Amino acid sequence: MIKDILNHDSGQLTSGLTNENVENGIMSFIPGSLGFDEFGTPFIIIKDQHKQRRLTGIDALKSHIMAARSIAKTLYTSLGPKGLDKMMVSSDGEVTVTNDGATILNMMDVDHEIAKLMVQLSQSQDNEIGDGTTGVVVIAGALLEQAEHLLDQGIHPIRIADGFELAAQSACKHLDSIADSFPVDINNLEPLIKTAMTTLGSKIVNKCHRQMAEIAVNAVISVADFDKRDVNFELIKVQGKEGGRLEDTMLVKGVVVDKDFSHPQMPKELKNVHLAILTCPFEPPKPKTKHKLDVASVEDYRALRKYEQDTFNEMVKKVKDAGATLAICQWGFDDEANHLLLKHELPAVRWVGGPEIELIAIATGGRIIPRFEEVSKEKLGYAGKVSELSFGTTKDKMLVIEECKNSRAVTIFIRGGNKMIIEEAKRSIHDALCVVRNLVQDNRIVYGGGAAEISCAIAVSTEADKISSIEQYAYRAFADALESVPLALAENSGLSPIDTLTQVRARQIKENNPALGIDCMLVGTNDMKAQNVIETLHSKKQQIILAAQLVKMILKIDDVRVPGENFD
């Protein structure tokens, strides 16, 4: 047994240990040095104790709960279709406006360690599911709030944590029982579009709600592998360009590259294009070692110039002889090479980045060519059309490569008034893509608008009545915490939260209809099935499981030691 003794002279903490504990190796877990008193009893001198602050027991738990709740409170008003946006200004003055939970938390300057765990919680939901990043933090915050009430009643934190975990399992079982099967049919995309519209309802792009949902669905369907029930997001590229309207956003069955042809006199549109995808530069080879070249006369200079010109001509000839009608080069080339390419009628694009090069190779079925000696007809890619787009009165230009061999590579090309809107549109489209992908992987759904949470709360509360142990308090607290989502939706929509929740809850019990939720859009019906407000079952289960796991972890921390005088 360890007994804490405060040595007032040194201002350091010493812990008396029995010899048996020392022999058992407990020393290896305690930082500090070992000392012995006059009776030979060992004790620990902990380093820099006077410079550290320590929180233990209920004080530590209360501190953690307060930090996590303050994070959840920040996101509370961003939940739902009428949720408010947050503006973040970075240290270098860059402004971001969004209501995407993961983005908000990522950009927040968080110091408290428990608050950082909430940020990671939102991030893990974003990585795994892509949607529901705000909801998972709101649920976790509500669970911790309920845990605080139970702690005040004297219930041990481990009993609360275990009760929450069992209640989460019970809620997930109930979700399985109320889930509906969802038709994923290539010939009928309407149900998928309506699901994507649910996700986009709370985003800035709801101005062109349906159009964005259709783009997201068509993009996923284009790259989906229905045999493996999988979607490769690497094949979907999202590009943005400022200056247009959101309505000008389009889906390109191919690749959009933020480059133009290397010479202004090259043709602006090519048909039936054979592409040579080069990662070698159009320039004479240089010796690998350090070198020095002396040009002592005019003849030497002319010979050098002729050698360079012959090398360029040979490179261009190799590409032309292979049958290429367009050269896409990862590296740059100088004006002389550019002039020779124009002279030999070989359009070219330079400085194309690595990811774009890979995507072009996948889309066109071409091979990336590392050396001019390896250029051959078999390694060329094919595209039906390559055209150059120019935007408004600016000189901005982009290349669109369409009608490719592999039609599975697609690009979502977003337009918007400024950079901020485009970035938020990209985040919104990402959420919609993730939701459609989740439906391709698992086509079971539950209904949104807080309907699933209310139904789970009723089921968990009923389950609590069957439990004779102390965990029943945790069950009821878990049910109350789940109702924080519909409460937030009602409050953010300008409704009376308690009245609205009470009415919907009573109707769900009376009609046994788990599709009844909060009428956020004030359509006039609480039936989320009629409103087509749909969420994937996988997303909802993940929210509940992740929130319960995090809360369990926080409740198990009862001792914190931090350097410095202040503990925040």
Side-chain angles (χ1 to χ4, degrees):
M1 181 179 139
I2 302 177
K3 181 183 172 189
D4 289 342
I5 306 162
L6 183 64
N7 185 332
H8 291 284
D9 297 331
S10 62
Q12 296 189 321
L13 184 74
T14 60
S15 303
L17 307 175
T18 64
N19 288 321
E20 186 185 352
N21 281 337
V22 176
E23 286 167 13
N24 287 342
I26 200 168
M27 281 298 306
S28 59
F29 298 103
I30 302 176
S33 55
L34 177 66
F36 294 90
D37 63 12
E38 63 269 28
F39 303 108
T41 308
F43 60 88
I44 298 294
I45 302 171
I46 296 177
K47 292 175 184 174
D48 299 326
Q49 174 63 25
H50 60 291
K51 293 181 185 174
Q52 293 183 353
R53 178 94 185 266
R54 186 179 184 189
L55 272 181
T56 55
I58 291 292
D59 289 338
L61 282 166
K62 289 280 180 80
S63 166
H64 300 157
I65 289 169
M66 189 181 76
R69 279 180 60 193
S70 65
I71 290 286
K73 202 172 177 184
T74 308
L75 292 191
Y76 189 85
T77 54
S78 290
L79 191 68
K82 299 282 181 76
L84 302 175
D85 289 358
K86 302 283 180 277
M87 179 187 280
M88 274 80 62
V89 184
S90 66
S91 52
D92 57 356
E94 191 175 329
V95 177
T96 304
V97 176
T98 181
N99 72 349
D100 182 67
T103 308
I104 293 167
L105 293 185
N106 243 347
M107 301 191 74
M108 278 173 69
D109 195 8
V110 177
D111 284 334
H112 198 287
E113 295 307 317
I114 298 299
K116 284 179 183 173
L117 289 177
M118 296 292 274
V119 175
Q120 289 171 13
L121 168 73
S122 181
Q123 202 60 52
S124 61
Q125 175 78 10
D126 196 35
N127 294 340
E128 186 69 20
I129 306 295
D131 189 32
T133 52
T134 309
V136 71
V137 175
V138 169
I139 292 172
L143 283 171
L144 286 168
E145 189 177 346
Q146 294 295 330
E148 191 173 13
H149 298 325
L150 296 178
L151 286 169
D152 290 340
Q153 291 173 26
I155 300 174
H156 195 278
I158 293 299
R159 301 299 293 271
I160 299 170
D162 289 345
F164 279 175
E165 193 167 26
L166 291 168
Q169 290 171 7
S170 177
C172 288
K173 277 182 191 169
H174 180 69
L175 282 173
D176 283 331
S177 69
I178 64 169
D180 280 353
S181 184
F182 187 84
V184 178
D185 183 7
I186 305 174
N187 302 316
N188 180 21
L189 300 179
E190 191 60 29
L192 283 172
I193 290 167
K194 285 177 177 171
T195 314
M197 284 172 74
T198 303
T199 308
L200 295 170
S202 61
K203 310 294 183 186
I204 202 167
V205 297
N206 63 4
K207 175 185 166 193
C208 36
H209 204 162
R210 186 177 176 87
Q211 180 192 349
M212 290 291 183
E214 284 175 358
I215 286 171
V217 169
N218 287 324
V220 171
I221 294 298
S222 298
V223 304
D225 185 336
F226 285 99
D227 295 332
K228 293 180 182 174
R229 296 183 78 86
D230 192 26
V231 177
N232 183 3
F233 271 6
E234 294 291 315
L235 296 172
I236 303 174
K237 192 166 185 299
V238 183
Q239 280 271 73
K241 197 74 177 176
E242 298 152 43
R245 303 175 305 151
L246 269 171
E247 288 88 337
D248 297 333
T249 299
M250 59 182 177
L251 178 68
V252 177
K253 295 285 180 77
V255 185
V256 177
V257 187
D258 196 0
K259 300 288 171 192
D260 57 352
F261 288 113
S262 60
H263 200 288
Q265 291 178 358
M266 286 176 180
K268 302 300 178 200
E269 189 174 309
L270 301 169
K271 296 281 178 82
N272 298 326
V273 188
H274 295 276
L275 297 92
I277 304 163
L278 307 168
T279 55
C280 43
F282 272 102
E283 59 181 33
K286 293 184 176 73
K288 297 293 179 198
T289 56
K290 287 184 178 179
H291 59 281
K292 183 183 174 190
L293 184 65
D294 289 325
V295 179
S297 64
V298 176
E299 285 73 24
D300 288 353
Y301 178 76
R302 282 180 180 153
L304 178 64
R305 181 170 164 70
K306 188 173 185 309
Y307 165 73
E308 281 194 359
Q309 212 162 12
D310 290 347
T311 309
F312 281 141
N313 279 323
E314 193 181 336
M315 289 172 175
V316 175
K317 188 172 182 297
K318 278 178 180 166
V319 177
K320 286 283 286 183
D321 289 350
T325 54
L326 174 63
I328 290 183
C329 194
Q330 186 175 5
W331 304 104
F333 40 80
D334 61 16
D335 290 342
E336 189 170 357
N338 204 8
H339 168 71
L340 282 168
L341 286 164
L342 178 68
K343 187 179 168 185
H344 288 86
E345 296 179 356
L346 180 61
V349 186
R350 57 184 162 186
W351 298 119
V352 180
E356 284 94 345
I357 284 274
E358 286 180 26
L359 206 60
I360 292 167
I362 292 167
T364 60
R367 298 275 296 279
I368 295 171
I369 302 166
R371 300 190 313 165
F372 283 100
E373 289 77 11
E374 295 180 25
V375 178
S376 65
K377 192 174 182 180
E378 295 75 38
K379 292 184 179 178
L380 300 181
Y382 175 81
K385 182 182 172 187
V386 177
S387 55
E388 190 177 273
L389 294 177
S390 56
F391 300 99
T393 55
T394 64
K395 292 183 180 177
D396 287 349
K397 293 185 174 65
M398 294 183 98
L399 276 184
V400 181
I401 302 169
E402 298 176 273
E403 300 169 26
C404 305
K405 261 187 182 177
N406 181 5
S407 61
R408 289 184 64 209
V410 297
T411 303
I412 297 172
F413 186 46
I414 297 172
R415 303 302 309 280
N418 60 16
K419 187 182 176 186
M420 199 168 62
I421 286 175
I422 287 171
E423 290 304 314
E424 179 63 357
K426 281 183 182 178
R427 287 188 284 268
S428 307
I429 285 283
H430 173 260
D431 283 6
L433 291 171
C434 289
V435 165
V436 181
R437 176 199 63 184
N438 294 341
L439 283 173
V440 170
Q441 291 174 338
D442 181 354
N443 67 340
R444 289 176 299 166
I445 52 123
V446 290
Y447 294 99
E453 283 86 354
I454 296 169
S455 184
C456 283
I458 295 166
V460 171
S461 193
T462 307
E463 192 71 25
D465 297 336
K466 302 174 187 172
I467 297 170
S468 57
S469 66
I470 206 165
E471 272 79 15
Q472 63 176 289
Y473 289 97
Y475 263 73
R476 291 198 180 93
F478 193 91
D480 290 344
L482 284 176
E483 289 181 350
S484 64
V485 172
L487 278 170
L489 290 171
E491 192 174 324
N492 294 344
S493 303
L495 302 168
S496 171
I498 301 293
D499 289 349
T500 311
L501 174 61
T502 312
Q503 288 169 15
V504 174
R505 197 173 189 280
R507 280 188 61 193
Q508 272 214 20
I509 295 169
K510 186 181 175 185
E511 299 172 24
N512 194 21
N513 181 2
L516 294 173
I518 308 297
D519 180 18
C520 298
M521 304 306 288
L522 310 178
V523 175
T525 174
N526 290 103
D527 192 339
M528 295 297 118
K529 196 170 186 176
Q531 283 199 34
N532 284 303
V533 179
I534 303 163
E535 290 186 66
T536 61
L537 172 68
H538 188 33
S539 168
K540 192 56 68 185
K541 281 170 79 172
Q542 193 77 8
Q543 277 185 22
I544 292 170
I545 291 165
L546 286 177
Q549 281 177 353
L550 179 80
V551 169
K552 184 176 181 181
M553 187 170 77
I554 291 172
L555 288 174
K556 282 190 169 186
I557 303 168
D558 78 327
D559 194 343
V560 185
R561 184 188 300 277
V562 291
E565 293 300 316
N566 296 320
F567 189 93
D568 296 320

